[in-house]
Amino acid sequence: MPANNDFSSLFAFLAIGAYRASPDGKILRVNPALMYFIGASDEEEAITIGNSSASDWYVDRGRRQEFRQALFGEGRVAQFESRVRIFGGTEIRWISENAHVVKDDHGEVLFYEGTVEDITPRKNAEAALELALRRYYALTAKSQSATLVCDIDGTIRFASEAVYQLLGFRPHETVGASVFDSMHEEDRARYQQEFERLAADESSGEEAIARHRHKDGSWRYIASLVSDARDDEAVGGFIVYSRDVTDAHIARMRLRSLSETDSLTGQYSRAMFERTAAEALERAHQLRLRAALFFVDLDNFKLANDSYGHWFGDQILIATGRRLRAIVGDGDIVGRLGGDEFAVLALLTDEEIHTLEDRAATIVRELARPIRVDATQFEVTVSVGVACYPSDAGSFSELLRFADQAMFAAKGASRNTYRVFTAALEKRVRERVNMISDLRRAVANREFVVYYQPQVDMANARLVGVEALVRWQHPTRGVLAPGEFIDAAEEQGLINAIGLQVIELAIPQIVRWRIEHRCDLRLAINVSAQQFRDGAFARRLRILLQRYELSANAVEVEVTESILLAANRDGRNVIEDLRNIGVRIVLDDLGVGYSSMAYLRQFTVDGVKLDRGFVEGLPDNAVDAAIVRSIISLTRELGLTLVAEGVEDHAQRTYLLSERCIVGQGYLFSTPLSVDEFERAGWLWHVAPRPE
Ligand code: C2E
Ligand code: MG
Ligand code: MG
């Protein structure tokens, strides 16, 4: 650039400092602005100050070298910002320099010249801003919520430290990316709309929740509030305030799914089952399909709960739900209706409707398989009721009601079975419902009587004892056997009261017979599992024995395997209470359970009753015979008494006697008899003599 002096006036009036210097850095000219800047009163003084303090001019000593390298290397320097000392080093100010080299026609450097702008105010402002920003960063970094500034298209301009807490990214990693990048695609459109609404000034101004992918791969629920700060020069975009609401959101979702699934078993809750099943019926209607509802109710759940505690009961329910889910079809709907009730809804074609009973039977069979909880095996059986849509019921609620009724009938039959709804069944169910209310009245009115069945010495047909068997003297239906009401009584919690009525009748009766006939007649009484739950039975028994002065060892309590099992786990062992009283404990129906033999040793019972099922096959059924023989020898070795149940013919009697099973009970000798019948039959004249 050739030298020219045409701009000398400009040089003089320029508001920013300007100078010219020789190639070696000697100041040649200084304009007034620069003169004032360095505190000189005229140009000469300014040049003197400039040249004398040249080496001290820059606060950072390396700056001078950098300046010269840039200038002579590239021929020019632009916006070279440095701190400089002025007024003899008493003041430090920021300057921005621009400079260029001026050469002659041969390329020789003539001089260089440049401008010096005081940028201290700007720098101070920047520093203040920087400080404010740092303070802001410091504050937001500690904050649980992150603040973003982004463009209208979502591009992030600024992110506070807390984005790290929120999504695992450092703020600088997010700048330049889009807020929508980490967002779940299902939430994205909704969010973009919110941005658009905001831009159009139509935002709801409400916090919106979207899923964002954390750097660790997990999804986080982030609630954000967006505000438009495009008019604010300091921001110039949307401000997004975000906080992590994952925990709260999950808790809320859990709460919702709680009502959808049963929290214990994980199957559908009643409400959810009803909803989906009703929808399935709609579908069935449209597709001309049928639907079958299986109502599944556990038979002996109460026993599990009462004897092993609620945790155990819970495990049974969980296992049952899981098993049910596994055996039904994938498309079938499974739900827990409450308590120990489950339901399955299956859509079926016309052909498949014939598989209905098979399906019900499968449920009954599969659920009856023992369930293992820790070291305990427990057998739950179920009663299943089935009703069909549209043949039986036209609506879901009707379907549920009829399946329930069919289930009720299955309970009434023998439990551990299924029943398919029929109109006739409905009638029977109604009877059973009536029966239950009857039963309550019967307990209050003491409508129960005791029948006595002889236990005889099969060798000489002499009476050795009696088993007390309860009967219900129904006002209109006559004498009812336990099979007709015991289950219902257990279900209704009435069995304890009935059991007490039985011993209150039987003990005085037996004492009367013993006195009248001077004999040692034994009394066997049956108890249900529930009677073992509270100590009332044992207490009452003790009182009655004392009151009637009956020797405790004249009384046998017939317990079932499940009672023994429960008693063994129970905190308070009623078996022990009974043993302390001195009554004998006899295992009823030996052989019915799958593991009874083990109990003989484990629970030290005093005797056993050989189940009628084994006696039935004697003497021809080789397996039964073998089992009976081994039971007989086992009881003998363990010193247990043995009574064979259900002896109906002479061949059985002969066989048992030949194997040295002496005491028998059964229709061969007598059916259970009322007191009157018993006395008239003359049994008491054949009583075994009191041993002297
Ligand atoms: P269990 O204790 O096994 O009683 C024997 C059952 O077999 C009695 O039925 C009896 O009538 C029947 N039986 C006797 N001999 C023969 C025979 O030769 N052939 C056949 N096929 N059956 C025979 P029952 O009286 O109907 O009692 C049924 C069950 O009800 C009893 O079975 C017992 O478990 C229960 N039970 C009876 N009385 C009571 C009671 O007072 N309390 C409780 N908790 N349960 C009772
Ligand atoms: Mg019995
Ligand atoms: Mg029995």
Side-chain angles (χ1 to χ4, degrees), residues 23-57:
D24 60 353
K26 282 265 177 307
I27 309 286
L28 305 174
R29 294 291 312 270
V30 171
N31 81 338
L34 184 57
M35 194 176 81
Y36 300 136
F37 178 67
I38 60 177
S41 44
D42 55 35
E43 189 175 6
E44 204 171 326
E45 189 187 2
I47 290 169
T48 314
I49 294 172
N51 285 335
S52 65
S53 63
S55 58
D56 276 349
W57 172 243

Side-chain angles (χ1 to χ4, degrees), residues 217-232:
S218 65
W219 287 105
R220 299 295 166 90
Y221 289 87
I222 306 291
S224 303
L225 191 70
V226 187
S227 68
D228 185 357
R230 284 174 301 169
D231 291 344
D232 184 342

